[in-house]
């Protein structure tokens, strides 16, 4: 099989779907027998769910197969097995089938695996795997499965025989009868665990302990939402293999994080408790979702992370895994065993991994939307953080103007430089504003687990972008647009913080926030200085300050003096009515005034 890669298909393989379906269709014509047809959306869905196997020869699609479950997962079928013409005759179909069978056993260990085929080669492969010929009544009774046969040219034969026989042969693998035989044929098979790997002490210990002491096949996955440098990722990869991981992968979800949440945080000017831009905490959900997807793709038995039992991250990771990867075991050694840092360091040192993880005064979580700072003076409510606690020092003095350009609520320009990549636009703002020490503050709030928490942070770009975006909205949105945006955005930020991103109402809030941005276009000028900034002005085609009806404090063009007096009189009606009926309160009010 040299030159071929056979793997569980993912979203990156979706562009091959048309070619896969065309290959199946062509094979059907050549064979003159039936293959149940599937539409492109169905096959793409299988890839997204990690329920398909694809063979590649370089960048060329070579073969494919997918799995389906029936009768509430009591039966599983490996369907759509196909190999491109130029790659046939070298055992590729057998390799794909074996991989699909292995995935089926992993995803549905108690299910009976069955298939319908007219091909002698497939029958032979099935027999080697432990399938036996059976009658159709021994297969699934799920009507949806048999409906799939309607697209087959032999469907009339099946229908005439009341679904009891056709030209295909039914074959079945019963795990209850073949479990021991399967294990003997696959003695090297271990349980797979995906470790959410940051490269820190807790996850380093987790990788080594699971591989060495618990016999897991460890897949170390670093979900990057913009907080890791290329050098850090390279070090993570090297260390993961030293610690005993079978495979290491970086899952870059920075763009997904921006597209699916960060832009809505900008639309909503989200600041938790009016202070904190939910810097790193909002990224945890997307890191968790990426890990869950990867675990499903490789058919993992478990997911592990390094959270302790005293923080918010344990909730964010566990909740995401429970929803996105149901049935997959969650392992948290640090939390469950109440491990100390020294215990973990001693274990790593004793097993040949020089652990130089020092107990630093501060711990940092760096992300595209800011850096959080814990420890040190944070633990004493009476103290603030010293200058040395911040990663980015003040290097600029004096004042500087910066112009941020928005298009429908998204940052598209900085000081005249256009950006199509919104992440790069954020990084540009950070590079300009961070040297002024902008965006430093302390946040005190209620944690998910119920205790109060305090964290320091530095978030120059988020604070500047949110402030300028909100300033622009004051010019271009109506009074009630701004009011209701504030209400739903406050909930959006709270739900993000409390690990409720997957709550369906979040999609509804996002739809409202996005709709509100249709006129939020224009340029905002801000004045920067050490430790702070101020708004200067706005240039927007949708500026509501510029109108033909009147200029505030200067002159009215859309109404007369009598109109104004009538408006004021009508507006005062509720108050006049009240005090006419309660003269005693009115008299008392006069005395106080």
């Amino acid at each position: 099989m040299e030159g071929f890669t056979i793997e569980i298909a993912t979203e990156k393989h979706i562009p091959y779907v048309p070619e896969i379906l065309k290959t199946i269709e062509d094979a059907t014509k050549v064979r003159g027998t039936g293959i149940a047809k599937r539409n492109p959306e169905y096959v793409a869905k299988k890839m997204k769910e990690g329920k398909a196997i694809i063979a590649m020869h370089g960048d060329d699609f070579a073969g494919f197969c997918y799995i389906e479950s029936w009768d509430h997962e009591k039966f599983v079928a490996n369907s759509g097995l196909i190999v491109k013409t130029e790659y046939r005759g070298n055992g590729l179909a057998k390799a794909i089938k074996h991989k699909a069978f292995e995935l089926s056993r992993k995803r549905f260990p108690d299910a009976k695996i069955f298939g319908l085929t007219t091909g002698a080669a497939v029958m032979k492969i099935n027999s080697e795997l432990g399938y036996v010929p059976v009658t159709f009544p021994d297969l699934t009774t799920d009507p949806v499965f048999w409906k799939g046969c309607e697209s087959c040219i032999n469907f009339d034969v099946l229908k005439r025989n009341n679904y009891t026989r056709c030209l295909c042969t039914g074959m079945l693998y019963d795990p209850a009868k073949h479990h021991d035989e399967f294990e003997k044929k696959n003695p090297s098979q271990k349980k797979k665990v995906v470790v959410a790997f940051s490269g820190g002490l807790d996850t380093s210990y987790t990788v080594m302990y699971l591989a060495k002491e618990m016999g897991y096949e460890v897949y170390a996955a670093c979900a990057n939402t913009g907080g890791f440098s290329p050098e850090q990722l390279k070090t993570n990869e090297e260390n993961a293999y030293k610690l005993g991981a079978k495979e290491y992968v970086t899952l870059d979800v920075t763009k997904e994080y921006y597209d699916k949440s960060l832009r809505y945080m900008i639309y909503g000017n989200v600041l938790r408790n009016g202070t904190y831009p939910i810097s790193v905490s909002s990224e945890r959900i997307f890191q968790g979702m990426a890990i869950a997807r990867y675990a499903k793709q490789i058919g993992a038995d478990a997911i592990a992370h390094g959270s302790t039992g005293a923080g918010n991250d344990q909730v964010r990771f566990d909740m995401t895994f429970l929803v996105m990867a149901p049935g997959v075991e969650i392992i948290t050694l640090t939390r469950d065993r109440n491990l100390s840092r020294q215990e973990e360091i001693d274990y790593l040192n004793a097993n040949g991994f020089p652990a130089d993880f020092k107990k630093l005064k501060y711990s940092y979580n760096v992300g595209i939307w800011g850096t959080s700072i814990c420890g040190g003076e944070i633990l004493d409510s009476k103290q603030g953080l010293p200058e040395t606690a911040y990663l980015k020092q003040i290097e600029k003095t004096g004042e500087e103007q910066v112009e941020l350009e928005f298009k429908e609520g998204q940052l598209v320009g900085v000081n005249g430089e256009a950006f199509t990549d919104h992440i790069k636009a954020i990084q540009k703002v950070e590079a300009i504003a961070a040297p002024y020490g902008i965006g430093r503050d302390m946040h005190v709030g209620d944690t998910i687990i119920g205790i109060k928490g305090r964290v320091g942070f530095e978030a120059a770009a988020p604070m500047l972008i949110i402030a300028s975006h909100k300033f622009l909205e004051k010019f271009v949105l109506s009074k009630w647009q701004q009011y209701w945006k504030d209400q739903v955005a406050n909930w959006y930020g709270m739900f993000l913080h409390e690990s409720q991103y997957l709550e369906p109402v979040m999609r509804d809030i996002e739809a409202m926030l996005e709709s509100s941005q249709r006129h939020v276009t224009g340029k905002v000028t801000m004045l920067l200085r050490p430790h702070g900034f101020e708004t200067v002005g706005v240039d927007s085609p949708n500026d509501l300050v510029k109108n033909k009806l009147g200029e505030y404090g200067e002159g009215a063009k859309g109404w007369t003096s009598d109109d104004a007096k009538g408006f004021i009189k009508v507006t005062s009606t509720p108050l006049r009515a009240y005090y006419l009926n309660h003269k005693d309160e009115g008299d008392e009010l006069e005395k106080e005034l």
Side-chain angles (χ1 to χ4, degrees), residues 74 105 108-113 173-180:
K74 293 179 181 177
R105 293 282 290 116
F108 307 96
D110 299 321
K112 294 178 179 179
I113 306 174
Y173 173 91
D174 187 342
K177 297 178 180 179
H178 297 279
H179 178 267
D180 292 340

Side-chain angles (χ1 to χ4, degrees), residues 324-547:
M324 298 292 292
V328 177
E329 181 185 2
I330 300 172
I331 299 172
T332 51
L333 299 179
T334 305
R335 175 177 62 184
D336 296 345
R337 299 185 177 190
N338 196 25
L339 296 169
S340 68
R341 288 179 59 86
Q342 195 57 52
E343 285 177 301
E344 293 178 338
I345 290 173
D346 289 345
Y347 175 82
L348 292 171
N349 284 333
N351 286 277
F353 187 84
D356 57 355
F357 301 97
K358 297 176 181 177
K359 176 61 176 176
L360 301 177
K361 185 175 182 179
Y362 307 105
S363 63
Y364 301 89
N365 280 297
V366 182
I368 189 67
W369 206 230
T371 296
S372 67
I373 308 169
C374 298
E377 292 80 3
I378 294 289
L379 303 175
D380 183 350
S381 299
K382 300 188 297 294
Q383 296 190 61
L385 287 173
E387 176 69 20
T388 53
Y390 295 99
L391 294 182
K392 297 177 180 178
Q393 302 299 301
I394 297 177
E395 299 172 352
K396 289 185 178 181
T397 58
E399 295 182 339
E400 174 184 354
Q401 281 197 351
V402 61
E403 181 187 81
L404 305 186
E405 182 176 0
F406 295 87
K407 182 177 181 181
E408 295 181 355
Q410 297 198 71
L411 182 65
V412 296
V414 181
N415 287 339
E417 181 181 355
F419 289 89
T420 56
D421 185 330
H422 304 295
I423 296 296
K424 289 184 178 178
I426 293 170
Q427 291 170 334
K428 179 70 173 183
V429 175
E430 181 73 19
I432 293 172
Y436 282 107
I438 288 171
R440 296 176 173 184
D441 207 341
M442 289 279 202
H443 168 61
V444 179
D446 297 289
T447 65
I448 306 172
I449 57 177
I451 61 176
K452 291 284 185 182
R454 188 177 186 227
V455 63
F457 64 90
E458 49 185 335
M463 299 305 284
L464 192 61
I465 291 168
I466 287 174
S468 56
H469 176 267
K470 188 172 185 176
F471 188 51
L472 175 60
E473 285 188 324
K474 291 179 180 180
F475 286 78
V476 302
L477 295 187
S478 73
K479 166 185 176 180
W480 294 114
Q481 280 180 306
Q482 292 182 73
Y483 175 84
W484 285 110
K485 265 187 74 269
D486 286 346
Q487 311 314 306
V488 299
N490 182 55
W491 279 95
Y492 190 80
M494 182 170 66
F495 271 31
L496 271 178
H497 172 78
E498 298 195 352
S499 194
Q500 293 291 335
Y501 173 80
L502 295 173
E503 161 60 47
V505 75
M506 294 290 273
R507 309 293 82 77
D508 303 322
I509 294 176
E510 287 165 356
M512 187 273 189
L513 290 174
E514 183 150 27
S515 174
S516 74
Q517 299 301 292
R518 60 191 181 275
H519 298 310
V520 185
T521 295
K523 298 176 181 179
V524 182
T525 302
M526 311 288 283
L527 182 64
L528 314 186
R529 63 172 66 91
H531 297 292
F533 59 84
E534 64 183 69
T535 56
V536 176
V538 160
D539 180 11
S540 170
N542 305 317
D543 185 356
L544 295 177
V545 174
K546 299 175 182 177
N547 66 84

Side-chain angles (χ1 to χ4, degrees), residues 103-142:
L103 178 62
S104 301
R105 293 282 290 116
K106 186 67 67 177
R107 294 292 298 270
F108 307 96
D110 299 321
K112 294 178 179 179
I113 306 174
F114 73 99
L116 294 175
T117 182
T118 57
V122 175
M123 291 182 198
K124 182 180 179 182
I125 296 170
N126 285 349
S127 296
E128 292 173 355
L129 290 169
Y131 288 71
V132 295
V134 293
T135 61
F136 283 17
D138 292 319
L139 307 179
T140 178
T141 57
D142 194 323

